[in-house]
Amino acid sequence: MTQPLHIPYNPTLDTLSLEEVANSLEEIGSRFSVESLNWPEAFPYRPLTIITAAHSGSHLYLDFFVRCNYLRAVNYTDNSPVSEDSCVEFYVSTGNSAESYHAFEFNCVGTINASACTARKECTPLQADQLSLIRRYASVGTRPFEEVEGSFIWNVVVAIPLNMIGVNYNGEPVALRGNFNKCASATSQPHYLSWAPINSPTPDFHRPDCFGEIILD
């Protein structure tokens, strides 16, 4: 069973650029791995994926760090199927409903696919004005490219407004449920990793029943 994840509070993050946030999170953030190999026989590849997280009271800051052998970023339009590319994801529920959650997916050039889900896999894409409020920084730049093979290290840093996911932080701990995922379905090494284990016969991240406990301190 996944231990609760505590995400620390630091209001100074809102004053920094996302590149500066990445450096700051090294010192103040909570660091954890995305390494649950839920379907090892069909998809055995497990690229190193580490996330560092903190929040400012108004935004949740996530730094996704990945080391992999194939890199793909074909999708460059927001709300396109970025999970086909080298992709990292954050799914989160406020806990008010067992089925209601948000899904945020980012490929390695920072293209986002985000939606609000009222039931499992019944999701409504967020609008462009909402997506514009999610700050993003991609270490490999923002231009799309076909798959390349080699040894790659990359990171994507994002800032998600807490009110976008229904959180009003007032200094008291806030309990959430969620999962963090790493995938790349259309690459030469397709894989589907998660932070909290997922109990399903085939790859499926839309499983709020498998979400782990996340606490905004």
Side-chain angles (χ1 to χ4, degrees):
M1 185 175 180
T2 304
Q3 294 296 313
L5 171 65
H6 286 265
I7 296 181
Y9 165 68
N10 192 305
T12 64
L13 292 170
D14 287 341
T15 68
L16 306 176
S17 70
L18 288 187
E19 291 182 76
E20 293 171 327
V21 165
N23 293 328
S24 182
L25 288 178
E26 289 291 321
E27 298 181 4
I28 66 172
S30 176
R31 185 179 293 109
F32 54 98
S33 297
V34 177
E35 58 184 10
S36 290
L37 200 62
N38 302 292
W39 305 278
E41 294 186 4
F43 303 101
Y45 181 52
R46 180 161 50 193
L48 176 69
T49 306
I50 298 174
I51 301 173
T52 313
H55 76 96
S56 65
S58 64
H59 289 76
L60 175 64
Y61 290 87
L62 302 171
D63 180 6
F64 298 87
F65 173 93
V66 180
R67 180 181 296 157
C68 62
N69 296 329
Y70 290 89
L71 199 62
R72 182 186 194 267
V74 172
N75 293 284
Y76 59 90
T77 303
D78 284 346
N79 282 340
S80 57
V82 298
S83 61
E84 298 172 348
D85 296 333
S86 301
C87 178
V88 290
E89 303 179 345
F90 173 52
Y91 287 23
V92 61
S93 168
T94 60
N96 295 328
S97 168
E99 289 290 326
S100 177
Y101 60 98
H102 280 80
F104 299 94
E105 305 173 353
F106 307 89
N107 70 7
C108 61
V109 295
T111 308
I112 185 174
N113 186 359
S115 55
C117 306
T118 56
R120 207 177 83 79
K121 289 191 176 181
E122 295 180 8
C123 300
T124 302
L126 298 188
Q127 298 301 306
D129 58 339
Q130 296 173 293
L131 298 180
S132 68
L133 300 176
I134 302 173
R135 297 165 58 203
R136 297 163 255 168
Y137 163 76
S139 65
V140 300
T142 58
R143 298 182 63 178
F145 52 86
E146 297 289 340
E147 181 183 79
V148 289
E149 180 181 2
S151 180
F152 304 101
I153 293 176
W154 56 275
N155 73 310
V156 169
V157 185
V158 302
I160 301 172
L162 289 178
N163 60 12
M164 185 174 290
I165 60 174
V167 171
N168 180 21
Y169 183 78
N170 59 11
E172 299 293 327
V174 176
L176 306 173
R177 295 190 62 80
N179 213 344
F180 300 87
N181 312 309
K182 171 71 185 81
C183 59
S185 65
T187 65
S188 297
Q189 287 184 314
H191 52 275
Y192 304 88
L193 309 177
S194 63
W195 165 65
I198 297 172
N199 181 22
S200 69
T202 56
D204 182 4
F205 293 141
H206 290 266
R207 292 293 301 268
D209 56 312
C210 297
F211 284 178
E213 185 178 359
I214 301 169
I215 300 170
L216 303 182
D217 289 335

